[in-house]
């Protein structure tokens, strides 16, 4: 949303520039964040696995997208090598990524090179973002751009944002918004170009924008205009070219994130979750024991075998389902939690799938009873955790 205030400034990206005798136009959130959020929403809606940001600059968009669980490969391309080197480390996994790994693998790579060059490593992508990029091209480079991105890369979806010059009537008309801009298009100019490109390369296109105009100036449209392109016919040669094409870009930075697809991390997460659930049930048992809410019954070996009594008098359907699963129990000073009970917890069930897989993960890490059907811990030893 844009707000007006009587002052001698105007706002585009950062957000204020000095302009005599003009009103302040403030975007909240700032315009660059609105553009990134637009791409983020596209990712959330369409769940692409492979995403590239052409002209990635300081890698801010990649920083946002790396948290999207669906993405397995993130690529940034920029012509400014020093900028890539400076910002690469911001994309590294942090301690939390190791303690709580992603479900899917994620590889992030930054390439130094021109987006007008063909590199086979940019083939086969689901989404390519070109945010505030094309206005930096001269006429010759702009003519090359569609053939490289739409024709060669041919991703399933392309999002292109560029300044809307219709909005510039609210700014000084004598200058572009950035000194490096070679042009700024009106909505009609952008849409004419976009429709021609889409028709030539078998894409459909939808137009939208971010940065709404202030009240009373709705006719100028949004400050940033956006085209979202969809591939109509799927490319058939991408997989072949990906393995046999040229590598033109230079790798500046690459990193891989821990994930549950990696056995060591998966085993570590499963073990942690199992201990957490066993500890939670053991503490509940100990509280019940102190409150004399236990019912003893004889075990086959003569030792008292005690089951944990349900504490809720009114059971939901989920509670009833859990009641059908074997309950934790105690024999002597040992506390047992059946694997069937443990895997009933949603995340463990999702990761392991079945009791056999859970038992495989716990082998040689967690003590099980003699037939391997339950986790076995000391009832009064908190050192297990």
């Amino acid at each position: 949303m844009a707000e007006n205030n009587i002052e001698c400034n105007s706002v585009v990206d950062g957000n204020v520039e000095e302009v005599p005798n003009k009103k302040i136009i403030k975007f909240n959130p700032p315009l660059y964040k609105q553009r990134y959020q637009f791409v983020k929403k596209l990712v959330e809606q369409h769940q692409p696995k492979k995403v590239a940001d052409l002209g990635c600059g300081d890698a801010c968009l990649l920083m946002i997208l790396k948290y999207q669980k669906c993405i397995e490969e993130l690529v940034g391309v920029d012509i400014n090598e020093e900028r890539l080197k400076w910002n690469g480390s911001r994309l590294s996994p942090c301690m939390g990524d190791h303690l709580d790994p992603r479900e899917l693998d994620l590889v992030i790579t930054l390439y130094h090179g021109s987006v007008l060059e063909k590199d086979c490593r940019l083939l086969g992508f689901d989404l390519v973002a070109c945010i505030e990029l094309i206005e930096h091209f001269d006429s010759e480079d702009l003519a090359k751009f569609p053939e490289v991105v739409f024709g060669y890369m041919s991703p399933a979806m392309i999002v292109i944002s560029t300044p809307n010059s219709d909005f510039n009537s609210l700014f000084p008309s004598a200058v572009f918004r950035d000194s490096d801009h070679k042009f700024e298009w009106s909505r009609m100019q952008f849409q004419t170009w976009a429709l021609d490109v889409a028709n030539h390369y078998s894409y459909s296109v939808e137009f939208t924008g971010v940065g709404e105009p202030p009240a009373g100036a709705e006719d100028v449209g949004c400050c940033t205009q956006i085209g979202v392109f969809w591939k109509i016919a799927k490319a058939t040669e991408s997989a072949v070219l990906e393995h046999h094409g040229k590598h033109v870009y230079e790798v500046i930075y690459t990193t891989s994130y821990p994930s549950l697809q990696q056995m060591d991390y998966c085993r570590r997460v499963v073990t942690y979750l199992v201990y957490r659930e066993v500890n939670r049930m053991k503490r509940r048992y100990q509280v019940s024991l102190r409150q004399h809410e236990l019912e003893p019954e004889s075990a086959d070996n003569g030792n008292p075998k005690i089951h944990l009594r349900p504490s809720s008098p009114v059971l939901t359907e989920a509670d009833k389902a859990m009641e059908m699963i074997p309950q934790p129990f105690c024999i002597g000073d040992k506390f047992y939690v059946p694997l069937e009970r443990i895997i009933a917890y949603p995340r463990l069930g999702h990761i392991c799938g079945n009791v056999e897989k859970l038992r495989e993960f716990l082998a040689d890490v967690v003590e099980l009873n003699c037939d391997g059907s339950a986790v076995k811990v000391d009832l009064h030893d908190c050192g297990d955790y």
Side-chain angles (χ1 to χ4, degrees):
M1 177 178 292
E3 301 174 354
N4 270 349
N5 293 299
I6 304 298
E7 286 290 346
C8 56
N9 299 308
S10 77
V11 177
V12 180
D13 263 339
N15 248 17
V16 181
E17 69 178 36
E18 295 294 329
V19 178
N21 302 320
K22 287 284 182 177
K23 296 180 179 180
I24 287 182
I25 302 176
K26 290 185 177 179
F27 294 99
N28 186 24
L31 196 54
Y32 76 94
K33 289 187 177 181
Q34 293 189 41
R35 291 192 286 260
Y36 293 158
Q37 288 301 313
F38 180 88
V39 179
K40 178 186 174 184
K41 288 179 181 178
L42 275 183
V43 169
E44 291 172 345
Q45 182 178 359
H46 300 286
Q47 301 287 295
K49 292 183 178 181
K50 299 177 66 175
V51 179
D53 181 16
L54 305 186
C56 63
D58 57 8
C60 282
L61 179 57
L62 300 180
M63 280 289 296
I64 294 171
L65 296 183
K66 76 173 189 174
Y67 296 104
Q68 297 300 305
K69 297 179 180 180
C70 62
I71 296 179
E72 298 179 49
E73 183 175 357
L74 267 179
V75 164
V77 181
D78 203 274
I79 201 167
N80 189 325
E81 182 177 3
E82 290 304 315
R83 204 172 185 185
L84 292 175
K85 289 179 178 179
W86 181 262
N87 289 288
S89 60
R90 299 170 61 202
L91 299 167
S92 299
C94 63
M95 181 64 71
D97 295 313
H98 291 273
L99 296 175
D100 186 16
R102 294 167 48 93
E103 183 155 327
L104 300 175
D105 289 331
L106 172 62
V107 176
I108 302 178
T109 306
L110 297 181
Y111 291 118
H112 171 235
S114 169
V115 300
L116 301 174
E117 295 179 294
K118 297 177 181 178
D119 189 304
C120 66
R121 290 168 292 184
L122 268 290
L123 296 174
F125 275 69
D126 302 303
L127 171 62
V128 168
C130 307
I131 305 303
E132 304 300 280
L133 174 66
I134 62 172
E135 63 272 13
H136 295 272
F137 296 149
D138 59 27
S139 57
E140 183 178 347
D141 288 342
L142 182 63
K144 295 177 183 176
F145 174 78
E147 199 277 323
V148 175
V149 176
F150 289 83
Y152 179 73
M153 295 182 187
S154 192
M157 181 166 48
I158 302 169
V159 56
I160 297 177
S161 79
T162 192
N164 167 24
S165 66
D166 294 333
F167 198 99
N168 290 356
S169 61
L170 304 179
F171 302 140
S173 58
V175 294
F176 289 147
R177 301 181 191 179
D178 187 285
S179 59
D180 189 56
H181 288 184
K182 306 303 188 294
F183 64 88
E184 290 181 1
W185 276 335
S186 67
R187 285 166 292 173
M188 181 170 290
Q189 288 172 313
F190 176 57
Q191 292 178 20
T192 299
W193 175 85
L195 287 168
D196 286 345
V197 170
N199 290 334
H200 188 270
Y201 292 101
S202 299
Y203 279 81
S204 62
V205 60
E206 298 176 0
F207 299 103
T208 183
V210 295
E212 295 182 0
E218 290 81 4
D219 59 321
V220 302
C222 291
C223 191
T224 294
Q225 52 187 334
I226 297 173
V228 181
F229 300 79
W230 303 87
K231 187 70 176 174
I232 297 173
K234 292 184 178 179
T236 57
E237 300 179 358
S238 293
V240 176
L241 290 171
E242 192 171 355
H243 295 290
H244 300 285
K246 293 182 179 180
H247 291 188
V248 178
Y249 299 147
E250 177 189 1
V251 177
I252 299 300
Y253 175 83
T254 187
T255 188
S256 298
Y257 274 64
S259 82
L260 297 180
Q261 304 302 310
Q262 301 160 26
M263 184 58 67
D264 288 345
Y265 283 104
C266 191
R267 184 186 298 271
R268 188 181 306 169
V269 169
V270 168
T271 302
Y272 165 74
L273 292 174
V274 166
Y275 272 132
R276 187 184 70 179
E277 293 302 330
V278 169
N279 188 45
R280 183 186 63 81
M281 286 184 273
K282 186 174 78 169
R283 288 186 177 182
R284 181 186 166 199
Y285 181 92
Q286 290 169 333
V287 170
S288 298
L289 191 63
R290 286 194 295 269
Q291 295 175 348
H292 306 288
E293 293 179 355
L294 299 171
E295 295 178 356
E297 57 182 77
S298 298
D300 292 340
N301 59 7
N303 291 323
K305 182 177 181 180
I306 307 175
H307 288 269
L308 193 61
R309 180 164 55 180
S311 59
S312 175
V314 179
L315 300 179
T316 65
E317 290 302 316
D319 292 331
K320 292 177 182 178
M322 288 296 287
E323 287 302 305
M324 301 299 293
I325 300 171
Q327 300 289 309
F329 59 90
C330 185
I331 300 178
D333 62 352
K334 299 296 181 181
F335 185 72
Y336 298 83
V337 182
L339 298 188
E340 289 184 44
R341 184 77 179 187
I342 293 172
I343 204 169
Y345 290 90
R347 193 174 182 201
L348 281 165
H350 176 72
I351 295 173
C352 300
N354 55 61
V355 170
E356 289 70 25
K357 189 68 175 179
L358 174 60
R359 187 181 294 113
E360 179 182 332
F361 277 125
L362 299 181
D364 302 322
V365 179
V366 176
E367 185 179 3
L368 302 179
N369 63 351
C370 58
D371 64 359
S373 64
V375 172
K376 174 184 175 182
V377 295
D378 291 331
L379 178 59
H380 299 293
D381 184 7
C382 294
D384 290 325
Y385 309 101

